[in-house]
Amino acid sequence: MNIVENFDLFAPRLINKQELLSSGHRACSGCAEVLAVRLMCKALGENTIIASATGCMEIVSSMFPTTAWRVPWIHVAFENTAAVASGVEAGLKALRKKGKIDDRYIKVVGMAGDGGTMDIGFQALSGAMERGHDMIFVCFDNEAYMNTGIQRSSGTPMGASTTTAPAGKVSSGQKTWKKNMAEIMVAHEIPYVATVCPSYPLDFIRKIEKAKSIQGPSYIHCFSMCPTGWRSPSHTAISMGRLAVETGVFPLFEVEHGHYRISPDMPRKLRPIRQYFKPQGRFRHLKDDEIDQIQERVTLEYQKLMGKAKYL
Amino acid sequence: MGKRIGMEVAIAVAEAVGLCDIDMAAVYPITPQSHIAEHLSDLVANGEIDAEFVTVESEHSAMSAVIGASGAGARSFTATSSQGLMLMHELLPIASAMRLPICMAIANRAVSGPLNILNDHTDIMPQRDSGWISLFVENGQEAIDLSIQAFKIAEHKDVMLPVCVNIDGFQLTHMVEPFEMPSKEEVEKFLPPFVPHATLHPAKPVTMGAFAMSDYFTEIMKAKNEALKSSKKVILEVWDEWARLFGRAYKPVETYQAEDADVLMLTMGSMGETAQMAIDQLRAKGIKAGLVKLRLWRPFPLAEIKAVLKNVKKLIVTDRAISFGGPGGPVFSEIKSAMYAEARRPLIYNYIYGLGGRDVAVGEFVGMFDKVLADTKNEAADTYEFWGVRE
Ligand SMILES: Cc1ncc(C[n+]2csc(CCOP(=O)(O)OP(=O)(O)O)c2C)c(N)n1
Ligand code: SF4
Ligand SMILES: [Mg+2]
């Protein structure tokens, strides 16, 4: 029986019913990023403290004097989330040791967009991971600076049109290949790195739970479809996430202590990326040969990953 | 009773902070602050203090980490200087807006460029409007005393604001001075445990650092300003208590031979001691010169400044920074605006001096007085001059 298609049957037993990110937040309709944050909270449970970067998820959830957060949550700035989280973790550790707070185990989680992780937040993240704090860092990658108006980031895929790398008469949008953040985190030799997508909620929750169970730093890279920024209809968020995975554009995998494992959700045979590119306005300008070139690189990158991994 | 010891001031500051039962410190090395970071690391490594020392990868992360730790309810400390303070700049108003009682030692040093590692106040002046309580010290004893007092002031339930203690780099941090180090028991008696208003803890989830639009922003700014202004009451109480316990008194504005003075000089930080020697020389010559030392930079002690300056004819404000293209040194501007509406106010002269570690000897302070007293037509009043500059 397919678990996802029979979700209503399985969900109550598989997923925490608590809504730790409440409704009433201001995310756009059809936002997969906020769905991912909600799923993450369900997987983490209430003994969690979240440090958030500036960005869509911060803005939509914390308009003073309201808040959507039912877990302790702190926002300080755009580029320093991992450092804030590492301070929270260090503070808790000291307070617990001195008996100033109860001794329950609390997971500290840093969260940021692709900009807050891969660009401006890169140094703070690298530092926090290298220092080995007991924390999870989750990158909600919607492939551009959405909060400030769809500007490119180093996570924007090649060929996508954004407001600072627009398609034009002599340009096909983003000229560079997406920074491979998961691999960079693997190179930090932290205990656990995983990629997730809210279109695969059970895989998502399992990986967050695994990260939660690990003492030390872990990194989760979440593919978070943004209908507004990708210029796609708001009902396509889930299907677009599935297409990204099924085409190999965003493979689901995990790396535990250096050991790669491809998620069982990955198809044996990838679909052509055209099927994923077609419905999205940000790729509309691409010519056939440009898509072919990108296809070649996607295939190559996927083969490289497969070379490192073996099926369960 | 505390012990009389001789020690390098930076090390002593770390020792003093170590007496304060801190839970967490995050300090990134930079000359001339590094000895604080190193000595705190030693204290932690030797189990002399029970705290987490987070070896951050930058000052931006140092300030971010102490914000996080303080948000979790930990007594948190950092220290920096110059470029490091500039790197923290973005986060300083956030720390104060979040009402986090973080304490920071600043080994004041010139800001680049050109790069220069020596002392002046060009690092702290751009932080003036960050909403921190900002104190200046003149010698090692004061550096120790204020480093301890800082926690009590910051964490007072009516304050809950971050505090920075400005300690002149090299001139103070690297001097070996004799002073009295309070004992652990004395500090325990003086400094109660930190009781935060709200903390990041699942027992009672709170949201910290929400964003606010025009409907609330102004009110939040006013609340922060009121908090900073009214912190002075607590600062004065803490200084009273300190005087009772340790016999050393502190005031927002300290004076030397100022009561009957015709001409006063205003200094901040370590230059005060040198200027004091100049006053003695001038007094010996029969010149009624006096000194005003500004200890409390924020909240600005308006009433105290007005009271001290109301009878004097001429005032020399010395500045160790300049507001480029502006009306002069930053302290000069503050003092001028403080005195503007007073019926009786002095003519105010401004010397920008001691930049990038340039030494200013006693004779030069005497020279400043001579120059101002020779200006019988008051032509140089209300202007500024780079003292001792080669043209
Ligand atoms: C130091 C600094 N630079 C720039 C900004 C403006 N800014 C706020 S959020 C943001 C982009 C956020 O992008 P991302 O991290 O990808 O999150 P998203 O909004 O896409 O979820 C930018 C550029 C800022 N707040 N702080
Ligand atoms: S702009 Fe995109 S990421 Fe931001 S809230 Fe809207 S849909 Fe979500
Ligand atoms: Mg983004």
Side-chain angles (χ1 to χ4, degrees):
Chain A
M1 198 191 286
N2 186 322
I3 288 179
V4 175
E5 276 161 20
N6 293 283
F7 204 62
D8 288 347
L9 191 66
F10 287 96
R13 266 182 292 157
L14 293 169
I15 297 180
N16 177 4
K17 279 193 204 143
Q18 263 182 318
E19 294 295 351
L20 295 169
L21 177 78
S22 84
S23 59
H25 57 71
R26 292 167 169 79
C28 312
S29 59
C31 172
E33 190 166 349
V34 81
L35 171 64
V37 175
R38 178 176 161 222
L39 283 177
M40 173 187 80
C41 290
K42 282 179 174 291
L44 290 169
E46 58 191 2
N47 284 325
T48 304
I49 298 176
I50 296 179
S52 171
T54 313
C56 269
M57 293 304 103
E58 170 256 335
I59 290 293
V60 304
S61 66
S62 75
M63 165 105 82
F64 186 85
T66 66
T67 180
W69 295 99
R70 293 195 178 117
V71 286
W73 181 91
I74 180 170
H75 159 254
V76 180
F78 184 22
E79 68 279 48
N80 63 347
T81 314
V84 174
S86 71
V88 173
E89 189 259 357
L92 291 176
K93 201 164 151 190
L95 293 171
R96 204 180 292 124
K97 190 164 156 226
K98 291 178 170 180
K100 294 183 185 175
I101 55 171
D102 63 43
D103 56 7
R104 80 177 84 182
Y105 181 68
I106 301 167
K107 198 79 197 189
V108 178
V109 178
M111 58 175 274
D114 44 306
T117 304
M118 305 163 79
D119 294 345
I120 201 166
F122 191 69
Q123 171 183 321
L125 174 61
S126 179
M129 294 288 114
E130 173 272 326
R131 292 192 297 272
H133 293 277
D134 183 16
M135 61 181 265
I136 309 174
F137 193 93
V138 189
C139 170
F140 291 97
D141 180 6
N142 53 17
E143 303 198 314
Y145 302 161
M146 295 310 177
N147 179 49
T148 43
I150 327 175
Q151 295 92 6
R152 69 85 77 179
S153 78
S154 59
T156 303
M158 183 176 271
S161 182
T162 54
T163 53
T164 53
K169 288 200 184 98
V170 296
S171 170
S172 291
Q174 182 87 341
K175 292 184 177 61
T176 49
W177 196 255
K178 185 182 178 77
K179 192 188 271 182
N180 195 334
M181 214 34 219
E183 285 296 342
I184 293 169
M185 287 296 113
V186 171
H188 281 67
E189 301 195 348
I190 56 177
Y192 188 63
V193 175
T195 64
V196 298
C197 170
S199 304
Y200 297 84
L202 299 182
D203 179 73
F204 186 119
I205 287 172
R206 186 186 62 77
K207 285 171 176 167
I208 299 277
E209 281 173 351
K210 169 145 338 153
K212 185 182 161 186
S213 74
I214 282 169
Q215 291 275 327
S218 41
Y219 176 83
I220 307 280
H221 197 96
C222 177
F223 188 79
S224 318
M225 199 271 178
C226 164
T228 311
W230 296 10
R231 305 187 210 277
S232 308
S234 55
H235 67 271
T236 58
I238 300 300
S239 57
M240 216 50 68
R242 293 185 76 87
L243 276 169
V245 170
E246 287 165 2
T247 54
V249 164
F250 189 84
L252 294 176
F253 65 100
E254 62 194 324
V255 186
E256 205 175 337
H257 295 289
H259 176 81
Y260 284 71
R261 194 183 302 128
I262 303 289
S263 298
D265 291 300
M266 288 308 291
R268 296 246 161 212
K269 190 171 179 318
L270 298 181
R271 295 167 73 161
I273 61 163
R274 251 187 198 77
Q275 296 180 5
Y276 168 65
F277 276 33
K278 270 274 132 58
Q280 297 181 46
R282 62 177 176 159
F283 294 123
R284 191 164 296 144
H285 58 281
L286 290 180
K287 298 186 199 69
D288 276 348
D289 62 319
E290 289 171 325
I291 296 182
D292 289 343
Q293 277 169 25
I294 295 171
Q295 175 70 70
E296 251 177 60
R297 177 89 187 253
V298 166
T299 309
L300 184 76
E301 295 293 333
Y302 192 67
Q303 279 164 357
K304 273 203 275 184
L305 175 67
M306 294 301 279
K308 293 179 192 165
K310 52 179 198 265
Y311 278 104
L312 270 178
Chain B
M1 227 357 229
K3 277 210 304 260
R4 275 202 81 75
I5 49 168
M7 194 186 266
E8 185 193 294
V9 171
I11 310 266
V13 166
E15 285 278 326
V17 168
L19 294 174
C20 296
D21 189 30
I22 56 165
D23 299 309
M24 184 271 193
V27 194
Y28 191 80
I30 180 169
T31 304
Q33 172 279 117
S34 300
H35 290 179
I36 300 179
E38 291 166 7
H39 194 65
L40 267 180
S41 305
D42 275 346
L43 292 176
V44 173
N46 293 324
E48 287 175 50
I49 61 176
D50 190 6
E52 288 293 313
F53 187 90
V54 183
T55 51
V56 278
E57 83 300 330
S58 72
E59 288 88 351
H60 198 278
S61 285
M63 185 48 65
S64 303
V66 291
I67 287 174
S70 186
R75 182 174 283 167
S76 308
F77 174 80
T78 187
T80 191
S81 178
S82 182
Q83 305 309 111
L85 187 57
M86 298 299 265
L87 197 52
M88 288 180 179
H89 179 80
E90 181 202 18
L91 304 167
L92 300 182
I94 304 177
S96 58
M98 291 171 94
R99 305 293 297 273
L100 297 173
I102 295 158
C103 291
M104 169 159 69
I106 303 172
N108 298 104
R109 154 183 156 179
V111 161
S112 298
L115 190 138
N116 170 303
I117 56 164
L118 304 173
N119 172 227
D120 67 26
H121 295 163
T122 51
D123 54 0
I124 183 61
M125 288 303 154
Q127 325 308 330
R128 183 191 64 182
D129 299 335
S130 61
W132 284 52
I133 293 172
S134 186
L135 304 156
F136 277 77
V137 302
E138 193 176 296
N139 55 41
Q141 183 71 61
E142 293 185 4
I144 295 168
D145 290 356
L146 267 70
S147 294
I148 299 168
Q149 294 161 11
F151 290 102
K152 180 142 180 169
I153 294 167
E155 293 168 4
H156 191 284
K157 66 177 183 18
D158 298 335
V159 177
M160 293 302 276
L161 283 169
V163 176
C164 62
V165 179
N166 291 277
I167 308 163
D168 282 328
F170 289 112
Q171 251 86 331
L172 289 181
T173 55
H174 285 54
M175 291 301 128
V176 174
E177 288 189 14
F179 35 66
E180 197 177 293
M181 181 66 78
S183 69
K184 179 91 191 138
E185 296 69 45
E186 284 171 326
V187 175
E188 264 164 25
K189 213 175 118 205
F190 167 76
L191 184 63
F194 171 31
V195 186
H197 281 323
T199 59
L200 295 167
H201 194 277
K204 191 170 181 289
V206 293
T207 291
M208 290 188 184
F211 99 104
M213 296 300 279
S214 52
D215 50 350
Y216 280 98
F217 197 80
T218 308
E219 286 67 29
I220 294 168
M221 291 304 102
K222 175 152 193 226
K224 179 165 152 180
N225 189 44
E226 292 300 319
L228 186 53
K229 275 174 27 187
S230 50
S231 70
K232 198 171 92 182
K233 184 171 166 283
V234 173
I235 297 170
L236 296 177
E237 283 167 18
V238 169
W239 282 342
D240 274 350
E241 188 187 347
W242 190 268
R244 280 200 309 279
L245 290 176
F246 298 98
R248 289 185 293 277
Y250 289 93
K251 284 194 277 184
V253 177
E254 319 252 352
T255 55
Y256 181 70
Q257 304 272 34
E259 295 71 33
D260 64 338
D262 293 329
V263 53
L264 281 174
M265 173 177 275
L266 187 141
T267 59
M268 278 165 91
S270 63
M271 287 292 188
E273 290 199 336
T274 321
Q276 202 162 311
M277 290 155 86
I279 303 295
D280 290 342
Q281 289 187 10
L282 290 158
R283 286 270 169 178
K285 283 194 269 177
I287 297 166
K288 284 188 171 173
L291 188 63
V292 178
K293 304 174 194 173
L294 190 51
R295 172 181 307 292
L296 184 61
W297 177 230
R298 280 295 183 275
F300 191 80
L302 268 175
E304 290 84 347
I305 280 288
K306 286 180 186 177
V308 183
L309 300 183
K310 69 173 188 290
N311 290 324
V312 72
K313 296 188 193 80
K314 289 189 171 183
L315 171 70
I316 305 165
V317 175
T318 63
D319 260 291
R320 306 201 59 197
I322 166 96
S323 170
F324 293 105
V331 184
F332 175 57
S333 295
E334 297 270 314
I335 301 289
K336 270 208 301 188
S337 80
M339 299 308 292
Y340 180 76
E342 298 304 292
R344 286 156 54 142
R345 56 190 151 105
L347 293 164
I348 309 182
Y349 296 74
N350 187 206
Y351 293 118
I352 317 268
Y353 75 140
L355 298 184
R358 182 162 300 182
D359 206 17
V360 185
V362 180
E364 296 188 64
F365 286 98
V366 173
M368 291 179 205
F369 277 98
D370 288 345
K371 193 160 178 178
V372 164
L373 290 171
D375 182 31
T376 49
K377 292 196 188 131
N378 305 330
E379 280 161 351
D382 258 345
T383 65
Y384 65 95
E385 181 184 325
F386 281 81
W387 182 262
V389 72
R390 292 191 302 276
E391 305 269 6

